Amino acid sequence: MPLDYSLLKTGNEISDQTYTLSKKEVDLYLEAVQDQSKREFDESGIELSPPMAIAALSLRGVVNDLQIPGGTLHIGQEMGFKNSVQVDETLRCIASLASNNVRGEWRFMVVTLTVLNSAGHSVMEGKSTIMLPA
Amino acid sequence: MKQQRTENLKIGADLIPIKKMVTMGQIRMYADASGDYNPIHIDEEFGKNSQFGRNIGHGMMAAATISELMAESFGTAWYNTGKMKMRFRSPVYPGDEIQTSGQVKKLEDTTSSSHITCSVVIISQDGDVIISGETSVTVDKSAPDGA
């Protein structure tokens, strides 16, 4: 059953998903974006996940749980990375609605994103602005 | 090693620009990698009937080149302290050649670290601004790689 977006209120949690960012997924991501930058490793020699792979993961739950309709446009994005993430780390991605307004034929929604590592520490925070047909 | 050393950075300094071709194959691969299968990106018929008249690439796929630019310049400091704020201004289309560039706008030094703010922009081969925004990173002066 399609979501009635007009019923979503500021502060509503719209997604809370846990994913493991595997080596295979990181490699697929890097190939998709043709990233040529040097792979980074932590002090113990474990490969780190590129920050934007984490950001893409944080939006996966939003796309699926918010049942984003075709034609939705992503018009703005803010994000801050706080701690590096090892490849194969399990991450909890939480998204909440920060605003929900209709202007003309479009609905504008701002979604806040929080990504926590397995220790519960924040590794990324962000804000996405999307517009979808009203 | 392409990493930018902060002692050489000055306001107005350019980061090393990145050029990429955007292809439909890359867009499909990004859909698989991100889980974003919005038909505006991958369904030819849907794209033809959209306001764009064709498929468009994911904004976050294009934005990834900004992160690549920053990672190339600042290494793991970008992974640990990077921030970015972007506006997606125009769609990116399959067949576009995009150039991502950045320029240092602000430098705030303490004895132990430098906080660097850059303006960033992605421009198509036609000169259209695809994404514009600002990034920042804090570089630890004592770390060997600035992280």
Side-chain angles (χ1 to χ4, degrees):
Chain A
M1 190 171 163
L3 269 181
D4 182 348
Y5 296 107
S6 67
L7 298 178
L8 296 175
K9 305 290 178 210
T10 299
N12 280 173
E13 187 176 281
I14 54 179
S15 178
D16 185 345
Q17 300 287 344
T18 300
Y19 304 104
T20 299
L21 198 47
S22 68
K23 167 84 174 144
K24 190 179 166 189
E25 283 191 276
V26 167
D27 288 346
L28 175 65
Y29 171 84
L30 290 172
E31 193 181 348
V33 300
Q34 307 172 69
D35 191 321
Q36 304 294 313
S37 63
K38 184 170 71 78
R39 300 278 179 108
E40 298 288 353
F41 297 82
D42 66 12
E43 310 79 37
S44 52
I46 297 174
E47 188 176 348
L48 299 174
S49 296
M52 288 293 275
I54 301 160
L57 198 69
S58 75
L59 287 167
R60 189 180 293 177
V62 177
V63 169
N64 293 328
D65 295 339
L66 204 50
Q67 301 171 30
I68 296 286
T72 298
L73 300 175
H74 190 176
I75 56 171
Q77 182 67 44
E78 295 177 29
M79 62 201 107
F81 306 105
K82 296 181 165 183
N83 292 290
S84 52
V85 171
Q86 293 177 341
V87 167
D88 284 330
E89 246 188 281
T90 297
L91 300 172
R92 182 178 170 203
C93 303
I94 304 162
S96 303
L97 196 63
S99 72
N100 183 11
N101 299 298
V102 173
R103 285 169 65 191
E105 296 177 350
W106 293 93
R107 178 176 295 282
F108 292 79
M109 299 174 96
V110 178
V111 177
T112 58
L113 308 165
T114 304
V115 181
L116 307 173
N117 64 15
S118 51
H121 298 134
S122 175
V123 295
M124 192 206 96
E125 293 198 356
K127 197 184 278 187
S128 298
T129 306
I130 57 174
M131 56 186 265
L132 51 158
Chain B
M1 183 164 157
K2 293 179 184 174
Q3 190 157 302
Q4 193 94 41
R5 297 307 309 179
T6 57
E7 58 267 26
N8 299 325
L9 276 183
K10 291 189 170 72
I11 291 172
D14 291 321
L15 306 183
I16 301 161
I18 294 172
K19 273 190 180 179
K20 306 246 186 232
M21 280 295 296
V22 177
T23 66
M24 203 56 219
Q26 188 199 347
I27 292 169
R28 287 198 192 95
M29 205 185 294
Y30 188 85
D32 288 336
S34 65
D36 182 352
Y37 293 100
N38 186 329
I40 194 82
H41 302 305
I42 54 168
D43 183 316
E44 195 177 342
E45 277 307 304
F46 192 96
K48 275 184 190 164
N49 295 319
S50 72
Q51 67 267 45
F52 305 109
R54 50 186 158 154
N55 292 122
I56 62 172
H58 303 73
M60 290 291 278
M61 183 187 73
T65 60
I66 295 174
S67 185
E68 181 181 348
L69 182 84
M70 294 299 289
E72 276 287 272
S73 298
F74 302 107
T76 51
W78 174 245
Y79 284 49
N80 288 309
T81 68
K83 288 184 179 169
M84 57 199 294
K85 187 174 181 177
M86 305 169 286
R87 283 195 63 189
F88 299 101
R89 294 181 177 275
S90 309
V92 62
Y93 297 111
D96 275 351
E97 185 181 41
I98 57 172
Q99 175 164 308
T100 304
S101 51
Q103 191 174 56
V104 176
K105 286 290 170 196
K106 201 165 152 189
L107 281 170
E108 294 160 282
D109 268 331
T110 67
T111 48
S112 59
S113 67
S114 294
H115 186 71
I116 301 146
T117 303
C118 302
S119 63
V120 288
V121 67
I122 302 178
I123 295 176
S124 74
Q125 72 285 352
D126 300 320
D128 293 329
V129 175
I130 309 290
I131 296 175
S132 63
E134 190 173 274
T135 56
S136 67
V137 63
T138 301
V139 178
D140 182 348
K141 290 178 176 175
S142 62
D145 70 347

